[in-house]
Amino acid sequence: MPYNMKTDFISVILKFSKSQRLGLLILFSLILLMQLVIWFGFRTTEMPQENQVWTNLPPKIDSAQSSFSEYRPKPFNPNFISDYKGYMLGMSVAQIDRLLAYRKTGKYVNSALEFQQVTQVSDEQLQKLEPYFKFPDWVHNKPSNIFTEKKVLKKESLIDINTATADDLKKIYGIGDGYAQRILTLRQKLGGFVHINQIEDVWGLSPDVIAALKQRFVVVNQPIIRKININKAGIKELMQLPYFRYPLAKAIVVQRSMNGSYKNIEDLTKISDFPVDKIEIIALYLDF
């Protein structure tokens, strides 16, 4: 006799008592209900979660754009804006390229207006960038280039800082034997001052004393400078310049060993804490 699954299943069911059949019905009903909950539950919860990933993307992008627009840099010399920094400042590629091309000619922008003329940034961009511009002090204090300006001296009142004696220096209120000797020692170490602003590098001088020195002393004749080869000098030799203290001198040597020789003064500006506000003066002491 052939096997009939349907008939056998019914006969098995009929062997159960009424209460047992009721229990099986309830069990099958619960199983079916759970299957329906699982099926429709996943369809209504998983899909929205997946969609939520995509719907959350625009806010994240907007957030990144917001942080970009809210980028607040430390004060910097705009002559040394890199491609990356220019991008973070909201400059276009063309604007950055105009600045880099201008700098390759050996020229510097010395004001926000000149920066705008070179880069062609909009008035709105300039308004956002200008508060962060930091030009060297001599830009604000001198009407022309510090190395080409011809000074008309009154011999009775102004003295060449490179020929000044300790007695000349001590006539300034606040300059005693100790400070006078520090100034003369720095002058000897440098081989002569190339600009009166270098007096600021004398340790311990107060702003009032520095201002008084600048009113009394000037650089008349440029000294003959003993230059340092930046690609051969060791840490100790670099430290002969007051601008290169040990951490910076070490960083210069380490960077050179990792990336090869420096090609120009701009390469040094990529080093952290390099004194870019003194770059024109520092460049006079270096060979590449």
Side-chain angles (χ1 to χ4, degrees), residues 187-203:
R187 184 178 72 187
Q188 182 180 8
K189 187 176 183 179
L190 293 171
F193 295 107
V194 296
H195 191 266
I196 192 59
N197 280 356
Q198 288 178 290
I199 215 75
E200 299 171 1
D201 299 320
V202 178
W203 182 80

Side-chain angles (χ1 to χ4, degrees), residues 29 31 74 89 115 133 141 152 163 191 223 227 236 280:
S29 299
I31 293 174
K74 295 180 180 178
L89 292 170
F115 176 83
F133 287 171
N141 299 331
V152 179
T163 60
K227 294 191 174 185
K236 289 185 178 179
E280 288 194 13

Side-chain angles (χ1 to χ4, degrees), residues 225-230 238 241 244 265 268 274 281-288:
I225 300 173
R226 184 184 69 84
K227 294 191 174 185
I228 296 175
N229 191 315
I230 193 67
L238 290 173
L241 287 179
F244 296 156
I265 189 67
L268 292 174
F274 186 86
I281 293 176
I282 294 174
L284 295 177
Y285 292 93
L286 302 177
D287 264 335
F288 290 86

Side-chain angles (χ1 to χ4, degrees), residues 61-243:
I61 295 173
D62 292 341
S63 177
Q65 292 173 342
S66 175
S67 62
F68 171 83
S69 63
E70 294 174 359
Y71 174 61
R72 294 293 180 269
K74 295 180 180 178
F76 63 94
N77 188 330
N79 285 289
F80 305 106
I81 292 177
S82 62
D83 289 332
Y84 174 76
K85 190 174 185 69
Y87 167 76
M88 291 302 297
L89 292 170
M91 295 176 64
S92 68
V93 174
Q95 291 168 345
I96 299 170
D97 287 345
R98 292 187 194 105
L99 177 63
L100 296 179
Y102 183 79
R103 285 291 296 111
K104 285 183 179 179
T105 65
K107 298 178 182 179
Y108 293 82
V109 294
N110 294 322
S111 67
L113 179 59
E114 192 172 350
F115 176 83
Q116 185 181 33
Q117 292 172 343
V118 171
T119 60
Q120 298 180 23
V121 296
S122 66
D123 292 340
E124 183 180 359
Q125 284 179 293
L126 185 65
Q127 187 177 5
K128 293 179 180 179
L129 295 175
E130 186 176 2
Y132 302 102
F133 287 171
K134 181 180 179 182
F135 294 100
D137 292 338
W138 58 263
V139 170
H140 306 290
N141 299 331
K142 299 296 177 182
S144 60
N145 188 284
I146 62 175
F147 304 119
T148 59
E149 179 186 359
K150 295 181 179 179
K151 304 176 180 67
V152 179
L153 305 181
K154 294 181 180 180
K155 295 183 179 179
E156 300 79 15
S157 59
L158 298 178
I159 302 174
D160 187 351
I161 189 65
N162 286 321
T163 60
T165 65
D167 290 335
D168 293 329
L169 295 168
K170 286 190 290 184
K171 290 178 182 179
I172 300 296
Y173 181 78
I175 298 291
D177 291 333
Y179 284 130
Q181 188 56 50
R182 288 182 189 178
I183 293 172
L184 297 178
T185 299
L186 178 60
R187 184 178 72 187
Q188 182 180 8
K189 187 176 183 179
L190 293 171
F193 295 107
V194 296
H195 191 266
I196 192 59
N197 280 356
Q198 288 178 290
I199 215 75
E200 299 171 1
D201 299 320
V202 178
W203 182 80
L205 293 181
S206 68
D208 291 340
V209 171
I210 291 174
L213 284 167
K214 289 181 179 181
Q215 290 178 356
R216 178 73 174 174
F217 298 93
V218 291
V219 174
V220 179
N221 298 309
Q222 293 292 324
I224 299 174
I225 300 173
R226 184 184 69 84
K227 294 191 174 185
I228 296 175
N229 191 315
I230 193 67
N231 289 314
K232 294 181 180 179
I235 295 176
K236 289 185 178 179
E237 187 176 0
L238 290 173
M239 288 178 63
Q240 291 178 12
L241 287 179
Y243 312 104

